[in-house]
Amino acid sequence: MGGDTLPCGCHMVVVGCVYMVVVGCVYILIATNQETSVPNIEITSMDFTVHNITQTRLSANWDLLIRVPSDLPNAYICLQGDIQASLFYKNFTLVTSSGQRYNDLRYGSPQQLRVSAAISEKDIDIGGLTGENIIKDIKEKRKVKFGSQLFLTDCRKGMTGVLSYVCDDTTLRFEPDLETKATKFGNNPTCTNI
């Protein structure tokens, strides 16, 4: 009878050790995923303000407002750093903003960052038909669909570069009877780390 008790007790110790190893591995996997999985960013606002438009040329200002989620600043984006963005029309790069400094992010709080760029007639004209198609969208459809990409200073341990994000297309709709101001229409597009 005493011989039966000892193997049973050993069995329980082995089961307990295996359980602890499995639980430890699960926690390590979760921690690893949290470190390597960069949270998404949302585009909360995008404006396209036309200054001059003809049949073949236009100049405009592009303003982008993104929402940085609360779990991003403490591990990924620096609380002080740079933001840069590119605007695309059907995979053609219209403009890339200069690096714009930000210095007011706070830990554990969702916040917004703005980036702006001026688009000249020369920028639009480089695309040939691209400029004509944008103008056609403005004049006939009253809306334009743009893609965008973001670059933010990377603050992960051991990293010195930038976090790159590609964003879902954003539909901009022009105000009634105006060809000068278009704003984001519909759901907030998501920007995913690449």
Side-chain angles (χ1 to χ4, degrees), residues 3 7 9 20 33 40 48-49 51 55 65 73 80 88 92 95 107 121 127 134 136 148 184:
M20 288 175 61
N33 279 343
N40 293 337
F48 190 79
T49 306
H51 300 300
Q55 289 300 111
L65 189 66
Q80 296 182 13
F88 301 93
F92 176 80
V95 67
Y107 285 112
E121 292 179 357
I134 294 172
K136 186 176 180 182
S148 50
K184 181 184 72 65

Side-chain angles (χ1 to χ4, degrees), residues 55-56 58 89-90 124 127-141 143-144:
Q55 289 300 111
T56 57
L58 71 87
Y89 177 82
K90 296 183 178 176
I124 296 292
L129 286 175
T130 299
E132 292 179 23
N133 287 335
I134 294 172
I135 292 165
K136 186 176 180 182
D137 285 349
I138 293 171
K139 291 182 174 288
E140 295 178 12
K141 297 180 183 177
K143 62 182 180 181
V144 185

Side-chain angles (χ1 to χ4, degrees), residues 30-43 66-78 108-111 150-156 162-167 189-194:
I30 289 171
T32 302
N33 279 343
Q34 286 176 345
E35 286 176 17
T36 58
S37 178
V38 180
N40 293 337
I41 288 176
E42 270 189 352
I43 294 177
I66 63 167
R67 178 180 292 122
V68 178
S70 60
D71 54 351
L72 198 57
N74 63 355
Y76 298 95
I77 293 182
C78 300
S109 174
Q111 290 149 85
L150 304 173
F151 309 94
L152 295 142
T153 306
D154 189 347
C155 261
R156 288 176 294 178
V162 296
L163 288 167
S164 297
Y165 288 83
V166 63
C167 305
T190 300
C191 302
T192 307
N193 179 245
I194 55 172

Side-chain angles (χ1 to χ4, degrees), residues 86-147:
S86 294
L87 181 69
F88 301 93
Y89 177 82
K90 296 183 178 176
N91 296 323
F92 176 80
T93 305
L94 294 176
V95 67
T96 298
S97 73
S98 59
Q100 298 175 24
R101 191 84 182 148
Y102 65 86
N103 57 15
D104 55 355
L105 288 187
R106 297 173 304 282
Y107 285 112
S109 174
Q111 290 149 85
Q112 297 191 34
L113 292 175
R114 182 178 300 277
V115 62
S116 301
I119 303 167
S120 68
E121 292 179 357
K122 181 181 173 187
D123 295 324
I124 296 292
D125 198 42
I126 290 171
L129 286 175
T130 299
E132 292 179 23
N133 287 335
I134 294 172
I135 292 165
K136 186 176 180 182
D137 285 349
I138 293 171
K139 291 182 174 288
E140 295 178 12
K141 297 180 183 177
R142 314 291 301 154
K143 62 182 180 181
V144 185
K145 192 177 281 190
F146 289 118

